[in-house]
Amino acid sequence: MQTIKPLSAPDIIDLWETYKKDDDLAARNSLIENYLPLVNIIVNNIACNLPSHIERDDLISSGFFGLMDAISRFDINLGVKFETYAKNRIRGSILDYLRSRDWLSVSLRKKIKKYETVYIGLEEDLHRTPTKQELAQAMTMKLEDLYTLEANINTTSLTSLEEYINAEYMVSDSNDVEKKINRDFIKQKLAEAIDRLPEKEKLIISLYYSEELTLKEIGMTLNLSEARISQLHKRAVLRLRGYLSRSKSDIFN
């Protein structure tokens, strides 16, 4: 099998200029080929938390269209790194596909939201991580049902904090000023919530969302397994979503 030689930085700049100036199809295809590994990286991060019936090929196809859209819309004169711009487009395209599948029922979504709120409430009351028995009792469910719910929660942790904020707090009929006020309020609450995290979880959130490292790269940085990083990341996202959920009433009331 022939190995494709990575393009040099000057070659990539030339391709961008040729494509944007002349709408050159060959240049566009070369850019797609160069940045295609971004799709695989993002699919790998998302797929590990999904149920087995979600086809990886479908995720790759969705991510591919996100990449093409990113290349088409990218403005080379803004001085923004393309990889950062493209990751958001690719991830958004994949999440749009998953939402279109509607693989979480309304009742399950309600249970997950309740779990997040109960978990944070118990943690604050007990000043420690609640046990499974305490969670089950507070949720008024059997222990085996709690384990099933937690397995489903693992499949929803792929949603980024930005996506969660958009879905939960940006109501469609509000105007631009209201949206900005809501977003600024939530960003403030999110910063406060992150500051309350344990140091290791706080670092993982920073590396994942700000530095855009993969879970594997974070594991190598912290000398922990990818599985352990994934576990800590899920716990941190659960805490943050719980904090934000409890702040939601402050926005609309």
Side-chain angles (χ1 to χ4, degrees), residues 159-210:
T159 304
S160 71
L161 292 175
E162 184 71 15
E163 288 286 334
Y164 178 76
I165 290 170
N166 286 338
E168 293 297 314
Y169 300 94
M170 301 303 146
V171 291
S172 59
D173 58 350
S174 63
N175 59 40
D176 290 340
V177 175
E178 289 172 330
K179 285 185 178 181
K180 184 180 187 305
I181 292 173
N182 288 348
R183 181 173 292 276
D184 289 346
F185 180 88
I186 289 300
K187 283 185 176 180
Q188 175 191 338
K189 290 297 180 181
L190 178 59
E192 293 172 3
I194 290 175
D195 194 53
R196 297 167 66 180
L197 291 175
E199 286 302 319
K200 189 167 291 184
E201 292 179 19
K202 189 187 303 184
L203 178 58
I204 289 171
I205 289 294
S206 174
L207 292 175
Y208 189 79
Y209 290 101
S210 298

Side-chain angles (χ1 to χ4, degrees), residues 51-246:
S52 58
H53 67 269
I54 301 294
E55 295 289 340
R56 178 185 170 85
D57 287 347
D58 292 335
L59 301 182
I60 291 176
S61 295
S62 301
F64 179 76
F65 286 119
L67 174 62
M68 291 202 314
D69 182 60
I71 289 174
S72 174
R73 294 172 179 269
F74 185 62
D75 186 345
I76 61 175
N77 297 313
L78 291 181
V80 178
K81 191 176 180 181
F82 174 74
E83 287 84 348
T84 301
Y85 176 81
K87 283 179 181 179
N88 290 329
R89 288 278 176 179
I90 294 167
R91 185 181 181 87
S93 181
I94 295 171
L95 292 176
D96 283 344
Y97 163 74
L98 289 172
R99 279 192 293 269
S100 72
R101 292 288 303 271
D102 195 23
W103 48 278
L104 284 179
S105 66
V106 174
S107 62
L108 179 56
R109 291 179 192 277
K110 289 181 178 179
K111 287 180 181 179
I112 290 173
K113 287 184 180 180
K114 181 180 178 181
Y115 178 96
E116 292 167 352
T117 303
V118 168
Y119 184 100
I120 296 303
L122 284 174
E123 191 174 57
E124 291 182 346
D125 291 341
L126 299 170
H127 302 289
R128 59 172 171 78
T129 300
T131 65
K132 302 297 183 184
Q133 289 80 4
E134 289 166 339
L135 278 168
Q137 182 177 1
M139 292 285 292
T140 61
M141 62 169 52
K142 297 178 180 178
L143 194 57
E144 55 265 32
D145 292 334
L146 178 74
Y147 288 135
T148 300
L149 177 60
E150 289 184 333
N152 282 307
I153 288 173
N154 286 341
T155 70
T156 68
S157 65
L158 63 103
T159 304
S160 71
L161 292 175
E162 184 71 15
E163 288 286 334
Y164 178 76
I165 290 170
N166 286 338
E168 293 297 314
Y169 300 94
M170 301 303 146
V171 291
S172 59
D173 58 350
S174 63
N175 59 40
D176 290 340
V177 175
E178 289 172 330
K179 285 185 178 181
K180 184 180 187 305
I181 292 173
N182 288 348
R183 181 173 292 276
D184 289 346
F185 180 88
I186 289 300
K187 283 185 176 180
Q188 175 191 338
K189 290 297 180 181
L190 178 59
E192 293 172 3
I194 290 175
D195 194 53
R196 297 167 66 180
L197 291 175
E199 286 302 319
K200 189 167 291 184
E201 292 179 19
K202 189 187 303 184
L203 178 58
I204 289 171
I205 289 294
S206 174
L207 292 175
Y208 189 79
Y209 290 101
S210 298
E211 303 300 325
E212 297 186 338
L213 297 185
T214 65
L215 297 181
K216 183 176 182 180
E217 290 169 338
I218 296 173
M220 294 173 64
T221 302
L222 301 183
N223 197 27
L224 294 170
S225 69
E226 184 176 357
R228 178 57 176 159
I229 294 297
S230 177
Q231 182 185 49
L232 290 171
H233 172 260
K234 290 171 184 174
R235 184 184 301 169
V237 170
L238 172 65
R239 294 182 202 269
L240 294 175
R241 287 175 55 160
Y243 293 145
L244 291 176
S245 179
R246 297 182 72 180

